[in-house]
Amino acid sequence: MNIKQFSELTQVSAHTLRYYEKIGLLKQVNRTANGHRSFTAKDIDWVGFIKRLKEMGMELKKIQQYADLREQGDSTSEQRKQLLEEHVVVVENRIEVEARNLDKIKQKIQYYNKIIKN
Amino acid sequence: MNIKQFSELTQVSAHTLRYYEKIGLLKQVNRTANGHRSFTAKDIDWVGFIKRLKEMGMELKKIQQYADLREQGDSTSEQRKQLLEEHVVVVENRIEVEARNLDKIKQKIQYYNKIIKN
DNA sequence: TGTTGACTTAGAGTTAGCTCTAAGTATTAG
DNA sequence: CTAATACTTAGAGCTAACTCTAAGTCAACA
């Protein structure tokens, strides 16, 4: 499958796919005789996986670490789990901050309700 | 008060203060005879206000809109309130996304717990 | 007098994650 | 045969919100 088809299938632009390869997120992508990238079913899974981690708000650098661990095989399961557990803390902290922000804005809105009434 | 003192007081770097002035967040900053900025007590309140909005996760562009409205006086209270209410929606959506992310990661951790045990 | 230090400006650099451009090659359709 | 299209690469550009640099002015101190 060429980059255009793969791009449509994964909903990731060809530009971004090349970028992911450049920064080492996509490794050992097959090439045809003329040097064009040739993607496989495995690559679909892999990009799907990257997308899921991204959706979780994980940075590409962290995803790369994860990718490296995964490449090393089953022996790194524990490390990958730890990486995810670190990310839980990140997301939990973010939620806390957002909740506080929400409170603050609502207080400010209350203030406006008061001064607008009077 | 010169920029250094003001910077220390507000905990905003001199660089950033100049930047805020450039993008129109800080308006009509007084100058001394030699062209140096001279900040007042009002400016302290104003920067405090900007910081609070920033802490709420509001973008500088939105804060600028808010600033413009505030400059126009009390007649814009309703519009400012609306601006904040829009931001409530933004923050609520963010919290929802983060909560879903948290769920997803925890599921993935559960998966690792299973495969590591066996 | 000279040097230290604070200030000024315009504009470049940084980070993340793309997004796009330019210049070139190769394949395919009419 | 030629025009359109898809691909390749290196590298520039984008956005947000700074952050820093260079080059210069000016006042105070030893």
Side-chain angles (χ1 to χ4, degrees), chain A:
Chain A
M1 186 185 334
N2 69 13
I3 200 166
K4 181 140 196 239
Q5 293 170 309
F6 189 70
S7 165
E8 277 158 14
L9 228 127
T10 56
Q11 291 295 303
V12 177
S13 82
H15 279 308
T16 301
L17 288 169
R18 290 194 197 98
Y19 169 70
Y20 281 178
E21 190 176 349
K22 192 159 75 179
I23 64 169
L25 269 189
L26 262 52
K27 294 161 207 263
Q28 62 227 28
V29 177
N30 289 334
R31 299 285 178 139
T32 60
N34 58 11
H36 292 190
R37 287 173 187 79
S38 173
F39 294 92
T40 66
K42 270 200 176 176
D43 294 322
I44 298 172
D45 292 348
W46 180 227
V47 169
F49 177 70
I50 291 170
K51 283 176 76 178
R52 250 171 292 137
L53 291 178
K54 257 177 62 64
E55 274 165 30
M56 291 178 196
M58 196 181 279
E59 294 167 7
L60 293 193
K61 270 190 187 164
K62 206 104 195 177
I63 299 178
Q64 224 187 101
Q65 284 176 37
Y66 197 105
D68 290 350
L69 287 173
R70 201 179 118 138
E71 222 188 5
Q72 290 169 50
D74 290 348
S75 63
T76 63
S77 298
E78 189 64 44
Q79 280 161 274
R80 276 181 270 161
K81 192 187 128 186
Q82 272 175 32
L83 214 142
L84 292 181
E85 276 166 350
E86 273 169 44
H87 196 58
V88 164
V89 177
V90 170
V91 176
E92 277 173 350
N93 286 342
R94 270 189 213 155
I95 289 174
E96 234 179 86
V97 170
E98 297 298 352
R100 275 201 302 270
N101 289 344
L102 200 57
D103 259 16
K104 275 196 233 166
I105 310 164
K106 284 185 175 171
Q107 277 171 35
K108 217 158 177 67
I109 289 171
Q110 280 313 306
Y111 163 78
Y112 274 112
N113 280 334
K114 266 186 214 159
I115 65 158
I116 288 168
K117 258 187 196 159
N118 301 334

Side-chain angles (χ1 to χ4, degrees), chain B residues 29-71:
Chain B
V29 177
N30 290 334
R31 298 286 178 138
T32 60
N34 59 11
H36 292 191
R37 289 174 187 78
S38 172
F39 295 92
T40 67
K42 272 202 175 177
D43 295 322
I44 297 171
D45 292 347
W46 180 228
V47 169
F49 177 70
I50 292 170
K51 282 176 78 178
R52 249 171 292 135
L53 291 178
K54 258 179 61 63
E55 274 166 29
M56 292 178 195
M58 197 182 279
E59 294 167 6
L60 293 194
K61 269 191 187 164
K62 206 101 195 179
I63 298 177
Q64 223 185 99
Q65 284 175 38
Y66 197 107
D68 291 349
L69 288 172
R70 201 181 119 137
E71 223 187 5

